[in-house]
Amino acid sequence: MADFLPSVAVDLSGALSLDALFPFTRTEVRLEIGFGDGERLVEQSSQRPDVAFLGCEPFLNGVAKAVAAVSDRALNNVRIHSGDARDLLAALPAGSLDRIELLYPDPWPKRRHHKRRIVSDDFLAAAARVLKSGCELRFATDIDDYCAWTLAHLSRSKDFVWPASRPADWLTPWEGWSPTRYEMKARREGRPSAYLTFVRK
Ligand SMILES: C[S@@+](CC[C@H](N)C(=O)[O-])C[C@H]1O[C@@H](n2cnc3c(N)ncnc32)[C@H](O)[C@@H]1O
């Protein structure tokens, strides 16, 4: 962490420039929020060297595992914010991202804790600000109530649409999908997932 994190960390102390962060010709910039141990971030960035990947995770052990894998594989298209996604979203330039993935966010199942869920009107406004028009916010959960919560929030957002083609196949993962660590645990425990795709207007 001491040696390598600084070379991949996102510095939020000043204006954030994606050109400075990813000094190569990139076809897209994607953000994964709450990457856990970073398996997906590392797999995706290995497969797509043309795409710039931002990852965000406040849990230090997860960041350490991701940083170790990024270093071992000498991936130069990954940058990591070791902290809250909302701080990163606030620092990103408007219309700078081609995709946001929010995969199995902490469900906070008790009603009195629902306000801790990351999906909120403010979060969606922040996500909408940084996403390019026509680009996707992808959300997966194994918790029925969080699926309903997210659909309710998105349906009152003026910035996103849930395209007509998607409601029919919301139980089908995205093309080329590999289940995340959390999803595999949910499957073992008998909980299927919902995969919601929202498009920035
Ligand atoms: C249930 S885990 C899922 C991890 C991974 N996405 C997966 O599917 O295996 C939720 C993750 O979101 C992270 N998280 C919680 N609050 C967050 C926040 N405000 N910003 C970014 N990540 C957050 C947690 O630390 C945790 O690693």
Side-chain angles (χ1 to χ4, degrees), residues 11-149:
D11 179 6
L12 298 187
S13 63
L16 201 53
S17 154
L18 290 182
D19 287 338
L21 211 50
F22 298 107
F24 59 91
T25 309
R26 51 192 186 269
T27 55
E28 287 183 30
V29 184
R30 298 181 188 173
L31 167 63
E32 182 179 348
I33 293 177
F35 59 64
D37 286 349
E39 294 98 337
R40 176 173 174 79
L41 183 67
V42 169
E43 179 198 301
Q44 294 280 299
S45 52
S46 307
Q47 287 172 3
R48 292 294 303 271
D50 58 306
V51 173
F53 287 87
L54 278 167
C56 185
E57 172 57 57
F59 178 52
L60 262 192
N61 284 0
V63 173
K65 285 183 185 152
V67 163
V70 168
S71 166
D72 287 349
R73 297 196 191 196
L75 298 170
N76 63 9
N77 57 336
V78 184
R79 297 292 179 271
I80 290 174
H81 171 54
S82 169
D84 192 318
R86 289 162 287 203
D87 297 334
L88 178 60
L89 289 175
L92 282 166
S96 56
L97 299 186
D98 297 271
R99 183 184 295 174
I100 298 177
E101 294 187 331
L102 180 56
L103 306 172
Y104 302 95
D106 292 330
W108 295 108
K110 291 184 182 148
R111 181 175 284 273
R112 70 176 185 279
H113 291 153
H114 282 181
K115 57 181 177 299
R116 298 185 190 174
R117 288 176 168 173
I118 194 163
V119 174
S120 68
D121 295 335
D122 286 348
F123 170 82
L124 293 178
R129 189 187 68 81
V130 298
L131 262 182
K132 293 177 188 166
S133 173
C135 290
E136 293 180 353
L137 167 63
R138 295 183 174 186
F139 171 89
T141 186
D142 57 318
I143 306 297
D144 293 350
D145 178 65
Y146 206 169
C147 181
W149 167 278

Side-chain angles (χ1 to χ4, degrees), residues 153-193:
H153 280 78
L154 264 297
S155 66
R156 66 178 184 237
S157 161
K158 62 178 180 17
D159 298 318
F160 289 95
V161 284
W162 191 29
S165 61
R166 288 299 304 182
D169 59 0
W170 58 280
L171 294 176
T172 308
W174 299 279
E175 203 182 325
W177 176 250
S178 316
T180 67
R181 174 187 287 259
Y182 185 92
E183 178 175 324
M184 289 190 283
K185 181 167 176 281
R187 281 189 193 181
R188 282 196 303 273
E189 293 171 2
R191 289 188 308 278
S193 295

